[in-house]
Amino acid sequence: MMPMVYTVYGFAIFFMIAWIVLWVIHIMALSYSKWKLHRTVDRSPPEQPYPGVSILKPLTGVDPNLLSNLETFFTLDYPTYEILFCVESEKDPAVMLVKYSLLPKYPNVDARLFVGGMRVGVNPKINNMHPAYLAAKYPLILVSDAGIRMREDSLLDMVQHMREDVAIVHQMPFVSDAEGFAAVYEKVYFGTAQARMYMGADFLGINCHVGMSSLVRRCALEEAGGLAAFADYLAEDFFMAKEVLARGWKMRVASLPALQNCGSRSVGALQARLKRWARLRIAMVPTTALLEPLSECLPLGAGAAWAAGQLFGAEPLPFFLVHVLVWFLSDWLMLRSVQNGSPPFTKVQFLVGWAWSECCAPFVLATALLNPEISWRTRCYRLDWGGRAHELKPPILNTQKL
Ligand SMILES: CCCCCCCC/C=C\CCCCCCCC(=O)N[C@@H](CO[C@@H]1OC[C@@H](O)[C@H](O)[C@H]1O)[C@H](O)/C=C/CCCCCCCCCCCCC
Ligand SMILES: O=c1ccn([C@@H]2O[C@H](COP(=O)(O)OP(=O)(O)O)[C@@H](O)[C@H]2O)c(=O)[nH]1
């Protein structure tokens, strides 16, 4: 009987500790985001001229927002930069868009197109960017995914965080304003659950480098083996930061969050993306499979409510409901901080988006755990523990009758 009692108390204490830790993370992440994000960018002339930046833009296909997103790179308020567009296939419609719409429209901006990529490993984004990386002429490299939109001062903000001892400045993933439920879900997810863990991790010095908009010091990347050294991982961002930090460099989060603005938003596409990312995180750092459910409102609340009943004789249901209510209010404050004001939807829409996001989160994680394969754009992969990826060949259709 005694071992049973100890086991129950052991679990209850575990949930209570996780619950307290999460509330500390809430407070820490909220305070840190208020201090860190949306600072005014210093536009006074610098003592030393700003270094040149080579912007790598890996493109795959065209969506309705691509042209206007890419145009924001031509109007950056930054003295010296080049834009290197990368497209893997010459049949990709992005080639036409860059060649015939963008380059002729901005003849005074230093921009080039690289078609064909270079196979240096499994990661298709690295393969796509590699020729441009080799041709880049400036000491700072900005890797910027296709769906990213820039404010005029975004690059200046990032460069201002690149102090002498810093090798990576990354933008926290967030999204631009858009219409529809998928956009609300996206904004709520990136502005609450992900922002909390991202800000918390950065505050604690945990590697949380997300490579969708990341400025890298080229010499530090070269020290770590160059871009090609990370081509066997799909989460090249995480491993790049790990190697660069291991060499004594520092990493900083920029003050302006990354504005993802993909033109084909849908609930299914966001969930597929979150599943893919969760699989990557689980393969890279397997403890996340245990820690992440504990960082979510509903599973943690259920565990903590049960634990409070066991340890203190509290009523589990009221405990759970108060937990959810306070978490919801704290998430509203977090979203306002990341958005730098009110989000572009009503509080009722926030409630619906938040409830949907929190209810789906455990299922997204569970399906990521149960399905070992990853599909990314046109290809499928399997991951080893540790994060190395293998591409799965598309099934060969057997037309021969047996
Ligand atoms: C008691 C409870 C504790 C809870 C602990 C939770 C653990 C999570 C801690 C930090 C995580 C923050 C990370 C947020 C980013 C998530 C997004 C993501 O997964 N992105 C991956 C994929 O990105 C794309 O990949 C393809 C690339 O080409 C694109 O450009 C990318 O955008 C990305 O690879 C992930 C990077 C960071 C992963 C961090 C994992 C750290 C886990 C540490 C766990 C330690 C727990 C410490 C507890 C405080
Ligand atoms: O086969 C691929 C898949 C992706 N990408 C590029 O990698 C970046 C990130 O892709 P995606 O948005 O699909 O990744 P996510 O942010 O969802 O992880 C984008 O610029 C894509 O154009 C690429 O060049 N080739």
Side-chain angles (χ1 to χ4, degrees):
M1 196 57 204
M2 282 310 273
M4 183 67 185
V5 173
Y6 283 134
T7 310
V8 168
Y9 273 100
F11 271 112
I13 290 169
F14 172 76
F15 275 117
M16 262 300 139
I17 292 176
W19 187 72
I20 293 166
V21 167
L22 244 295
W23 283 110
V24 173
I25 293 179
H26 265 278
I27 296 167
M28 194 170 71
L30 183 58
S31 324
Y32 186 50
S33 78
K34 281 191 174 293
W35 176 75
K36 175 98 208 158
L37 301 179
H38 299 288
R39 292 178 168 202
T40 312
V41 179
D42 179 7
R43 286 178 185 258
S44 57
E47 282 169 23
Q48 299 281 326
Y50 286 118
V53 178
S54 297
I55 303 177
L56 304 189
K57 269 276 162 215
L59 305 179
T60 322
V62 169
D63 71 49
N65 291 350
L66 185 67
L67 180 64
S68 78
N69 290 340
L70 295 182
E71 283 199 273
T72 63
F73 287 81
F74 287 86
T75 52
L76 289 170
D77 179 10
Y78 193 77
T80 320
Y81 69 97
E82 59 173 349
I83 314 175
L84 308 177
F85 293 103
C86 315
V87 186
E88 190 186 323
S89 158
E90 60 184 19
K91 295 194 189 107
D92 193 312
V95 171
M96 305 289 277
L97 184 125
V98 173
K99 227 180 194 172
Y100 300 113
S101 300
L102 280 169
L103 300 187
K105 189 168 173 189
Y106 298 95
N108 298 328
V109 176
D110 184 0
R112 280 181 286 165
L113 171 65
F114 294 79
V115 182
M118 182 188 284
R119 191 168 168 92
V120 288
V122 180
N123 187 316
K125 175 177 164 184
I126 291 199
N127 291 341
N128 191 4
M129 292 192 297
H130 208 261
Y133 173 73
L134 295 179
K137 57 186 181 203
Y138 293 123
L140 298 181
I141 305 275
L142 174 68
V143 175
S144 173
D145 284 359
I148 299 291
R149 225 182 146 75
M150 294 289 259
R151 273 173 37 164
E152 254 179 41
D153 52 356
S154 299
L155 184 56
L156 193 55
D157 171 52
M158 294 178 90
V159 173
Q160 284 174 358
H161 285 78
M162 189 64 87
R163 299 288 156 99
E164 262 179 24
D165 54 348
V166 174
I168 297 180
V169 177
H170 51 129
Q171 290 191 304
M172 185 177 86
F174 193 47
V175 282
S176 10
D177 298 351
E179 297 283 316
F181 179 69
V184 175
Y185 175 26
E186 225 182 11
K187 198 172 270 279
V188 169
Y189 173 76
F190 282 105
T192 63
Q194 183 162 124
R196 181 173 53 253
M197 297 323 295
Y198 197 93
M199 285 278 110
D202 186 58
F203 185 77
L204 296 174
I206 296 169
N207 175 6
C208 58
H209 177 220
V210 177
M212 64 177 64
S213 180
S214 171
L215 187 68
V216 183
R217 193 183 285 280
R218 193 189 174 121
C219 64
L221 184 52
E222 286 298 314
E223 270 174 39
L227 200 56
F230 306 98
D232 284 339
Y233 302 103
L234 292 188
E236 78 288 340
D237 41 6
F238 178 80
F239 291 99
M240 197 186 285
K242 193 174 162 200
E243 288 302 317
V244 166
L245 295 176
R247 284 166 174 77
W249 292 96
K250 296 202 167 69
M251 182 165 82
R252 292 281 174 268
V253 172
S255 139
L256 298 173
L259 295 175
Q260 303 171 77
N261 186 38
C262 172
S264 44
R265 288 178 168 87
S266 76
V267 170
L270 176 58
Q271 290 188 332
R273 199 167 176 228
L274 298 183
K275 271 180 223 162
R276 172 161 51 84
W277 288 357
R279 265 240 59 79
L280 292 178
R281 293 195 301 275
I282 292 165
M284 294 186 298
V285 188
T287 41
T288 57
L290 172 73
L291 292 175
E292 288 201 14
L294 281 178
S295 71
E296 287 170 7
C297 176
L298 301 182
L300 180 69
W306 168 80
Q310 294 295 324
L311 296 175
F312 314 117
E315 279 294 327
L317 187 61
F319 184 101
F320 178 74
L321 294 176
V322 172
H323 159 91
V324 172
L325 178 67
V326 181
W327 192 294
F328 170 76
L329 295 174
S330 151
D331 273 354
W332 171 254
L333 296 179
M334 188 74 200
L335 178 61
R336 280 187 56 94
S337 165
V338 179
Q339 173 83 21
N340 198 25
S342 293
F345 40 73
T346 63
K347 292 196 175 68
V348 175
Q349 284 173 306
F350 173 68
L351 172 63
V352 176
W354 183 86
W356 172 262
S357 176
E358 292 301 333
C359 291
C360 291
F363 295 102
V364 168
L365 204 60
T367 42
L369 267 170
L370 295 175
N371 184 2
E373 282 174 20
I374 283 193
S375 68
W376 189 18
R377 302 277 177 151
T378 53
R379 297 182 177 93
C380 287
Y381 305 86
R382 188 177 273 270
L383 299 175
D384 292 342
W385 289 115
R388 230 168 253 279
H390 304 278
E391 188 175 340
L392 301 174
K393 295 284 168 257
I396 299 163
L397 293 177
N398 193 353
T399 48
Q400 209 181 348
K401 281 194 182 146
L402 293 171

